[in-house]
Amino acid sequence: MAFFVLPLFSLQQQTSNLFMPHKSSPLVRLGSKKKRKGRLTQKGRQIDAGAQQDISELLADKPLRKELLIEYLHLIQDKWAHISSRHLMALADTLKLSQAEVYEVATFYHHFDVVKENEIAPPPLTIRVCNSLSCCMAGADDLINELVEQSPSSIRITAAPCMGLCDQAPAAAVGKNYLGKVTAASLLNTAKNKQTQAILPTYQGYEQYLDANGYQLLASLNNQTFSVDDVLKELEKSNLKGLGGAGFPTANKLRIVKAEPSPRYFCVNADEGEPGTFKDRHYLSTTPHQFLEGMLIAARLIEADKIYIYLRDEYAAINQLLHHEIQHLIDHKVIKDSYIDIRRGAGAYICGEESAMIESIEGKRGIPRQRPPYVAHQGLFGQPTLVQNVETLYWILSILRNGGEHFAKQGKNGASGLRSFSVSGRVNKPGVIVAPAGSHVRELIDLAGGMLEGHSFKAYLPGGASGGILPASLDNIPLDFGSLTEYGCFIGSHAIIILSDKDSIKTTSQNLLAFFRDESCGQCTPCRVGCEKASSLLSEQQWNKPLLKELCTTMADASICGLGQAAPNPILSAIKYFGEDV
Amino acid sequence: MSDSVSFIIDGKKVSADSDETIWQVAKRLGTTIPHLCFNDKPGYRSDGNCRTCMVEIDGERTLAASCCRYPANNMVIHTQSERAKSARQIVMELLSTDLNQETLSGSEFDNLAQSMQLAPSRFPKNSPAPSDLSHQAISVRADACIHCSLCVRACREVQVNNVIGLADRGQHEKITFDFDDPMGESTCVACGECVQACPTHALLPATPNVNEVDKQVQSICPYCGVGCQVKLNIKDNKVSSVDGANGPANQGRLCVKGRYGYDYISSDQRLTEPLIRKKGMEKGINIDPANPYTHFRKASWEEALDVAASGFSASKKQHGSDSLAGFGSAKCSNEEAYIFQKLIRAGFGTNNVDHCTRLCHASSVTALLETIGSGAVTAPFMAVKDSDLIIVIGANPSENHPVAATFFKQATQLGAELIVMDPRALALKQQATHMLQFTPGTDVALLNAIMHVIVNEQLYKPDYIEQYTSGFEQLTAHLQNFSPEKMQSICGIDADTIKIVARKYATAKSAIIFWGMGISQHTHGTDNARCLISLALMCGHIGKPGTGLHPLRGQNNVQGASDAALVPMFYPDYKDINDPEAKAFFESLWDTSLNEQAGLTVIEIMHAIHNDTIKSMYVMGENPAMSDPNLNHARTALATLDHLVVQDIFLTETAMFADVVLPATAWLEKNGTVTNTNRQVQMGRKAVEPPGQAKPDWWITHQIAQRLGLNWPYKSPEDIYQEMQLAMPSLANISWQRLDKEHSVTYPCSAPDEAGQDIVFANGFPTEDGRGQFIPASFLPPNDPLDKEYDFILTTGRLLEHWHTGSMSRRSEQLNALEPEAFVQISHLDCAALNVKAGDLVCISSRRGSIQIKVRVDNKVQSGLVFIPFAYVEAAANLLTSHDLDPLAKIPEFKYSAVKITTI
């Protein structure tokens, strides 16, 4: 056995064939019967050094907090007009998120174009054409067809949900340039001239607002000439309700959040997405400071630690405007730097639902939470959170200036206060109409310049896509929270869409259900599957009304949030009031 | 949230804790409300998305999901109202519309549909979603997916692997892996939690699932020291599938090995009969393990045992007791470890008995014993739920203790800070608040610098130090030379980071330290562990909830085997061989006289063979021909022995050198207890019959003992355990019957009807003076220095998919398919510098040996460092490693070898 006698502790290389199996030996694949190859890298997708460089440059001066994921996805989408998986991977690594976490968020929001390896990126410019109800009534479908035929390959044409320009239907966006009353020619011309950025509207600026006694109420609250209790009392007297659509008494909500332990957050819901609704856009783009002061007063009432304004991405001009005006507030020491964060939505109607909005602010998919717990108790980052709609905050100033009672008295037919009705459809002067709560639809049609010539009033949607459809015969209902319940409808965000004898209830219902189908977050069965099946059933020649009714009942009863619960409203209204049409 | 509320449910007035959901209350009252997205198992948050559990509550506009709704006072709940039942029915109908009934068959969904008498759906159908069969172990059949998100919660909240997502939205929403990649190409680690959670069979084991099983046996996973409890589903004497059981250390979770790595038991390479080497056959790695008959002939048990025993007797007679040695195994049961060491001590008459603890945590145990008087962990890893700060150093738990890692990751989700210190950027990097990727081998420099900051900034706990420790002054004096500014260039971590980490650890309310072999497998391994112990002592982070010192033990029974004295310097329960009282105790208990000379350790035994002092060995379940450092040296030693008896389940590389090979049973083929890293003694149960003539290790050892003239009375593992209880105070109050009933009991345990103590040493330590001892450590460079020729540092270790030397996992078709071939991890930068690319074959040589191996580009390793798993016989990493030892613990430096890389 001399063969094996090796010097001890030898530094020489000693190898013997007997101790080193050959590659061809049966030992090499001990357990495997099939021949397999190992991986060449660690598991899964590898990080691309170039993409990592891109992302580190893009985020050079930015905080690397996970909750900012959506903001950073925007930066990538803005810069490269799509989000490649290389960049997405590098972003995940930078934010210490997993691939799954970034991918599910990036694909949830329609304003992000995720392009995987071996996929072709979309053209650098996209024209989005609104195909929600008011715009469809104004010929959006034809417009899309025309554009598809006429546009060069460097432009992508897509349909998109309501852009909040229903008073200027049909509406479309060339890049970030959102335009009303468009034609195929005007859009292609805009694209050709590379007018793809948002255009600032003219609005009441900071100085002008100061001249009109702006920010005095906030100051008097701060120097305690006006107390928090005084404000709450006035708001209580005013009977102001949440005008995002739920109608919860504002003073109550403020008191509930105020009683919770700090830190308390304040999220402003500026994700106005209910088809037919554009009042928040109106106030934000004309009198932003009245909204901002109302917001700061509310923040003061609950001693909010931070304010987040969740602004829908379609309001790109308002985004610029707000950044600009908030900077004024910082410069003039009205607020501290970084007290207010503006967060961009990314093309998801569901994020108008308050808990979905909160999820989105946390950098996640916008899926509604189960209630209870209510967001007032456990909202943003699990902390007590006040959520208010833009218009609600806008009214605070008027109420405090003129007294709560004065505001309350302006309602009629048993309702109280003023409301901003977004009126669109077959009227002469669509627009935001400020009218007493409790007004009737005919009054609103009159205020909107009456019916279009050649159109006779047939039906109306009292609360956008989700509030149901009422026949013209029911034109004497006071339009207010709660007053439409017995008719299977609701007022919601006060988006009144007027239909005429030229409009088909069947087509209208299909349009609305297609909207809900596309905008359902997908979380719960009744809404995810229900909207899709309902949409399919509505496209059938003959509606299966008993099955639709069963489906609608379950959707309304068992969906997690208002989207799924309200999606059946148009179907049930159509069957109830327009039986012959459907 | 545990006030009591009273309410009415289905007409009955009921009280419940306010943290009990309506679903749970109903179940308690005997009504199981339908459910799909809710999993009534620990760790699963209810999500309420499927809406099959809707109930009606008076006064509420909509129905409520009972799985996530809590009753309130005076609530009136109807679980069986027409409205609720109708909604549940329609929800099921909606879900079933687009699903494939064939895939659903036998699933929870199928069962529920049948119990609800669900008729075929009336809704328009869509085309079914396509399947993804890209993964070796798991098939994805989206045509049965109901988007219930249980797999997402399983992957992200229970196991925290973060691979599965819910992408897109609405009707397009789908379950995705990473960026909607094929599962087999994703970062999936195949823990199988999603499969276990899926209620529809959309996720299934890739091998055909057996719905009906012959029996279900609860036992312990055979792989790592976490000690996961498993439910083994047995069909036709084979493990058909495995579910996680609700054990204290795993709470239902498993990893890829514990889930899919059992097919090695039925490998056709199993040893089924005793073998005797044919005369004149050369010893070496020269045998096909599937066909041992080229070098061995079969023998009867009688003959084989006689030959085995007579070889030992001859050696003892000719060369004396100390010419014999034995390696036991941390893979066998406590009883088998105990009986083995007893044989070596009482039968062979020597203390030359050791096992692989020498190669993994010997230095940790040495340091812990000398400083705090106990070699085991001071707190279980589940203690992290109460920790504000977790340090993981020199450990890669997501690969080596995957289920323990889930607890760490969960703790970070709840807000705990995680500081990871390791030369490799580990998977835990994603959860880490700070990732300190320090220079290999500079642990002492880094840890001393951290302590320097704590001392200089007076962040230590004077009261604790005063009351419970000694030696702090000497340590503080010693630490003065280790300022972070001075150490930063040595350890590669900038001074500011060192300071931040030091302050965080010292000021945390509760902080815990976990370490692995990155700490222990060094020639300065004992010093490394001493530093960690000093760090915890000076901050008082021991003995309270969420604090402690926890060396993550490797093998499933390395704690138990060490406790049972499968080591050369102790009797059971760490009684010193040199202690005359201990010697007298065991001489009386074992009715024999004992050798007072402490024995040799693993590597020392190999040297002694080369020195011709050890002539004969008995190896039970160890594989030193793969696991020892400097394999050329170790294998030559094995070949040199006069008489080698190896008892194992396969013809391992070590068995190839044997004169007698004895076929043993696998873990699942026998009863016995094992002790995990948390000091939890757990009951393993026989689930399948062994193949051929394979016998339990304890039986074989007993037979050899008999042939050496020892008359032991054991008839079962239980008999041995009862004797162990006499020998080991640590097992007090933990009877065999209790273990059989409770499955798991932690030691120490103060009463038969009380739970064991998870966290120990709240009031001092089991040392002579009751105090923890600070022992200063000096920085020493690694023993195998880099030079111009050997310019890369090699570090070795395990892989998620492969266990240790691969003897089990490489014979598992499932595991081997996931990692079928040897590789070396090299960073991007080094690949570029060496001009090699992924998949190229390179030659790696050290001053001791060389191997050829494929390159895997992997940026987990820093430039200048390469990593090779030691599971692959065809490119055995240990041909390269050095057998230089830590002077105290005798552990070799697997984590630092100088190598050169040449292209082929």
Side-chain angles (χ1 to χ4, degrees), chain A residues 412-413 421 423 426-428 433 435-436 438-452 455-462 470-479 496-501:
Chain A
K412 61 198 236 186
N413 298 324
F421 293 91
V423 182
R426 307 297 187 191
V427 291
N428 277 316
I433 290 171
S439 297
H440 294 159
V441 67
R442 296 258 181 208
E443 294 170 284
L444 295 176
I445 293 175
D446 288 348
L447 287 167
M451 292 296 292
L452 278 177
H455 289 262
S456 71
F457 180 40
K458 174 181 179 181
Y460 65 109
L461 280 66
L470 289 167
S473 58
L474 290 174
D475 58 1
N476 57 348
I477 312 173
L479 297 174
I496 315 292
I497 304 175
I498 306 296
L499 307 184
S500 76
D501 55 342

Side-chain angles (χ1 to χ4, degrees), chain A residues 161-207:
Chain A
C162 183
M163 296 168 176
L165 290 166
C166 326
D167 52 340
Q168 301 160 48
V174 180
K176 288 190 175 55
N177 190 0
Y178 284 79
L179 300 157
K181 295 194 187 302
V182 297
T183 62
S186 76
L187 288 170
L188 292 173
N189 202 37
T190 307
K192 199 172 153 198
N193 294 335
K194 298 193 163 48
Q195 293 162 321
T196 60
Q197 293 307 310
I199 297 166
L200 276 183
T202 43
Y203 60 92
Q204 185 189 35
Y206 179 65
E207 302 292 340

